[in-house]
Amino acid sequence: TLRTTISDWNKKAYVHIEDWRNRPLQGGRYPYVYVDGIYLRRNWGGEYENVAILVAIAVNEDGFREVLGAAEGMKEDGDSWEQFVRGMIERGLKGVRLVVGDRCAGLVSTVNSMLPKARCQRCMVHFMRNVLSKTPPTHRQWASAALKAIFAMESRESALAKAESVAAEMEARRLKAAANCLREGVGETTTYLLPEFPDEHRRRIRTNNMIERLNREIRRRTRVVGSFPDGNSALMLVCARIRYVTNNEWSTRRYLDMSRLDDTLQAAN
């Protein structure tokens, strides 16, 4: 019957996707890793709840992009990130110098414990949005320009000094919540300015824009589905969409010139 045929097709597709998810990582070293969580709705016992699909993309030592993996996490918590990262390490993840992502519970501690020679870069765009969300509309235009000035600095020291002057001005304008948010997060958002990372890479390692664009393509497809009967169905569709979107020049066009990193790659994990 047609239903049986479709069921057989689905089973075969699931097998192929599981093989892809569990494949050995053979791109050599992966200096830059971008991570994010995509939230989808699933129907659990008649009740709807969110499920996070964790996704990781990397730039390998030759400068090409590669999707490292995707996994279901009930939420973006420490246990989910630890399990996700451990699985990638077991499959061959190595040589990580920088992990780029939004601030997620447990992500930083997971990187520190499992990838001890890697640094964390908080997504600059998300951080700026967080600060601006604590800024009243009447001050938002000034605050936006001030934040952009911070990230236009050529060195981390000058960026941190500029951030402190902006925070002081925020306090003078009675924007204490925004000032606290800026002071609290600017350190982890300026990691990309450290001298160990080439100047030419800065614009592409300070945000999660690369993975955000991929996530938009995924959401565009999953929005049609609405909710999923279980987390595995959501994971399978996300993986299928990832493979479709990246099966073109996305993965065959060089994204970064990694020659400047060659001298320090050997020191990575």
Side-chain angles (χ1 to χ4, degrees):
T1 66
L2 178 60
R3 180 173 294 182
T4 302
T5 302
I6 292 175
S7 177
D8 290 340
W9 285 344
N10 286 339
K11 288 177 183 178
K12 290 178 182 178
Y14 281 10
V15 168
H16 286 307
I17 289 172
E18 278 299 288
D19 288 344
W20 173 78
R21 287 183 60 238
N22 296 302
R23 76 196 187 283
L25 299 176
Q26 299 176 327
R29 297 179 183 272
Y30 296 92
Y32 300 141
V33 175
Y34 303 76
V35 296
D36 198 11
I38 306 169
Y39 278 93
L40 303 172
R41 294 181 67 194
R42 75 170 180 178
N43 189 334
W44 182 256
E47 296 184 1
Y48 290 98
E49 65 178 13
N50 288 330
V51 59
I53 304 298
L54 309 181
V55 179
I57 297 175
V59 178
N60 64 27
E61 61 187 338
D62 296 318
F64 294 97
R65 291 174 289 185
E66 181 179 337
V67 179
L68 299 181
E72 180 186 356
M74 283 301 295
K75 50 182 182 284
E76 290 180 87
D77 59 7
D79 291 341
S80 296
W81 283 118
E82 187 174 324
Q83 186 175 351
F84 186 41
V85 172
R86 181 184 295 113
M88 290 189 290
I89 292 173
E90 291 172 351
R91 289 165 45 223
L93 177 64
K94 61 184 178 181
V96 182
R97 304 299 303 279
L98 188 70
V99 177
V100 185
D102 199 9
R103 167 173 279 186
C104 307
L107 175 59
V108 175
S109 60
T110 296
V111 171
N112 290 341
S113 63
M114 305 189 77
L115 299 168
K117 294 186 179 179
R119 298 183 182 274
C120 285
Q121 165 65 33
R122 184 175 178 179
C123 177
M124 182 194 76
V125 173
H126 288 164
F127 174 65
M128 290 176 66
R129 287 178 191 159
N130 288 345
V131 176
L132 292 174
S133 71
K134 302 179 186 301
T135 307
T138 52
H139 293 274
R140 206 161 284 162
Q141 185 175 357
W142 167 82
S144 178
L147 291 173
K148 289 177 182 177
I150 294 171
F151 297 107
M153 294 292 153
E154 292 297 318
S155 71
R156 190 164 188 261
E157 292 73 19
S158 59
L160 294 177
K162 180 66 174 176
E164 180 54 39
S165 69
V166 171
E169 176 64 19
M170 285 177 169
E171 289 180 331
R173 293 174 180 241
R174 298 184 179 180
L175 307 175
K176 187 174 182 180
N180 289 341
C181 184
L182 174 57
R183 285 194 174 108
E184 186 264 339
V186 71
E188 60 193 1
T189 315
T190 52
T191 307
Y192 74 99
L193 287 171
L194 289 169
E196 62 198 76
F197 302 113
D199 295 353
E200 296 84 354
H201 292 185
R202 288 178 174 179
R203 295 186 67 84
R204 285 186 163 174
I205 64 173
R206 66 183 184 177
T207 74
N208 232 5
N209 285 355
M210 178 174 68
I211 201 168
E212 283 285 327
R213 282 192 287 269
L214 181 61
N215 286 351
R216 279 198 295 272
E217 288 294 322
I218 293 169
R219 289 190 184 98
R220 190 169 67 178
R221 181 65 186 91
T222 56
R223 198 177 295 122
V224 177
V225 177
S227 62
F228 294 85
D230 53 57
N232 190 58
S233 298
L235 176 61
M236 290 300 114
L237 181 56
V238 167
C239 289
R241 190 62 185 170
I242 287 173
R243 295 188 70 186
Y244 174 78
V245 172
T246 60
N247 189 27
N248 52 32
E249 65 176 14
W250 185 94
S251 58
T252 57
R253 187 177 70 245
R254 194 183 301 275
Y255 187 70
L256 285 172
D257 177 4
M258 304 299 277
S259 61
R260 294 286 303 278
L261 267 177
D262 286 349
D263 294 340
T264 51
L265 267 177
Q266 300 303 318
N269 359 327

